[in-house]
Amino acid sequence: MCRWLAYSGEPLKPAELILDTQHSLVAQSLNSPLGNETVNGDGFGFGWYGGDPVQGDTPSLFHSIEPAWHDENLRELTNAVSSPLFFGHVRAAAGPPIQQSNCHPFRYENWLFMHNGFLDGFQKTKRALAFAVDPSLYPLIHGTTDSEVLFYLAITEGLQEDPIGALGRAIRRVEEEGRKAGIEYPMQGTIAVSDGHTLWAFRYSTAHKSRTLFHSTAIPELRELYPDAARLDVFGDKAKVVVSEPLTDMPGAFVQVEESTVAILDDDGYRHQDFLREAA
């Protein structure tokens, strides 16, 4: 349905990944070989944290219904700021209308969230899932997407205290309501969520056939493999990116995240953890 990337590490101009790398996010919006939709031109979003964030900082957002390749403001902005953690998302709409409030990433306080995928049969489960959102959070849902409802359902389930457990509980609720409505495989997708310091990237679907998800190999390892690669000079040793599909054809530069797995990215590097591997 969409393509996305999330970066964590030393402050970086987002344009380096969103615009200027071999298979940048903007390039993927025009041609996405691993995606279900080749073209993702129904709007985009960019969310970023400040250059020296403190715990609880609110990230900034830029959303547009223009195709990412057509918006000069995106180029200006992603070359003007420098961020240690940012999200980029290009959208292929599949039902919900093309409007800014439906563009990812979504924000709540210091949290960012984005999703590539869908809740199958959402029109049948929308009422039940929306009613499951905490009443104090419900007015904050501005768009009409299944992804935004999933985000606020995860917040209701305790995202701020237990991101992995809360998203797991939210997805189980989606699957429960879907099956009540006769939907065999209610959940599909990859998800990124961050509090501004740690980045969690999930790959899960009820059918266990999720959209693709990759993360970069550690920069020091890549420098050993490619000592003459000038492109790597742009990145610090802690630079890490999670993507829907690799940003370069360089062998060994990206590692696929397995099905039913969450990749955790922080100052200590990468960790993988099982996510909802038990039978749904």
Side-chain angles (χ1 to χ4, degrees), residues 49-101:
Y49 294 87
D52 187 19
V54 297
Q55 192 68 36
D57 272 4
T58 300
S60 300
L61 289 179
F62 174 52
H63 291 150
S64 174
I65 60 171
E66 297 284 341
W69 66 82
H70 184 65
D71 197 299
E72 285 297 320
N73 292 321
L74 179 62
R75 179 170 294 278
E76 290 287 331
L77 181 59
T78 56
N79 273 294
V81 304
S82 181
S83 171
L85 202 160
F86 57 84
F87 283 15
H89 186 282
V90 291
R91 184 169 182 244
I98 300 171
Q99 58 192 47
Q100 285 194 21
S101 59

Side-chain angles (χ1 to χ4, degrees), residues 1-223:
M1 311 292 287
C2 310
R3 300 278 90 180
W4 60 255
L5 68 77
Y7 170 84
S8 173
E10 292 87 353
L12 180 73
K13 287 186 177 182
E16 294 287 353
L17 301 177
I18 291 176
L19 292 162
D20 297 335
T21 198
Q22 182 183 11
H23 301 302
S24 69
L25 189 64
V26 169
Q28 291 180 27
S29 71
L30 279 163
N31 181 21
S32 173
L34 298 184
N36 284 46
E37 301 80 17
T38 303
V39 177
N40 298 269
D42 297 325
F44 66 87
F46 169 49
W48 72 100
Y49 294 87
D52 187 19
V54 297
Q55 192 68 36
D57 272 4
T58 300
S60 300
L61 289 179
F62 174 52
H63 291 150
S64 174
I65 60 171
E66 297 284 341
W69 66 82
H70 184 65
D71 197 299
E72 285 297 320
N73 292 321
L74 179 62
R75 179 170 294 278
E76 290 287 331
L77 181 59
T78 56
N79 273 294
V81 304
S82 181
S83 171
L85 202 160
F86 57 84
F87 283 15
H89 186 282
V90 291
R91 184 169 182 244
I98 300 171
Q99 58 192 47
Q100 285 194 21
S101 59
N102 284 342
C103 293
H104 307 221
F106 302 106
R107 176 181 63 193
Y108 175 74
E109 296 182 351
N110 61 307
W111 291 81
L112 286 178
F113 175 100
M114 60 185 174
H115 175 211
N116 170 27
F118 56 91
L119 307 186
D120 195 25
F122 182 58
Q123 293 306 314
K124 296 180 180 179
T125 61
K126 181 178 180 180
R127 184 177 185 275
L129 295 176
F131 271 46
V133 171
D134 186 283
S136 67
L137 297 172
Y138 182 80
L140 302 178
I141 301 175
H142 298 301
T144 61
T145 65
D146 49 0
S147 301
E148 190 178 16
V149 171
L150 178 61
F151 179 35
Y152 280 96
L153 189 57
I155 297 170
T156 299
E157 293 287 350
L159 181 76
Q160 294 162 288
E161 294 77 32
D162 177 17
I164 297 173
L167 190 58
R169 290 187 290 273
I171 289 173
R172 288 298 190 228
R173 183 63 179 265
V174 168
E175 292 176 327
E176 176 187 349
E177 295 297 339
R179 285 173 176 148
K180 287 179 184 177
I183 300 160
E184 187 175 8
Y185 300 120
M187 174 66 196
Q188 166 61 252
T190 62
I191 291 168
V193 63
S194 180
D195 62 355
H197 292 269
T198 301
L199 171 60
W200 295 267
F202 301 80
R203 186 181 183 209
Y204 176 81
S205 64
T206 310
H208 305 299
K209 296 179 181 179
S210 300
R211 302 294 173 87
T212 56
L213 185 66
F214 299 82
H215 67 66
S216 56
T217 299
I219 292 295
E221 293 180 32
L222 283 178
R223 289 199 177 105

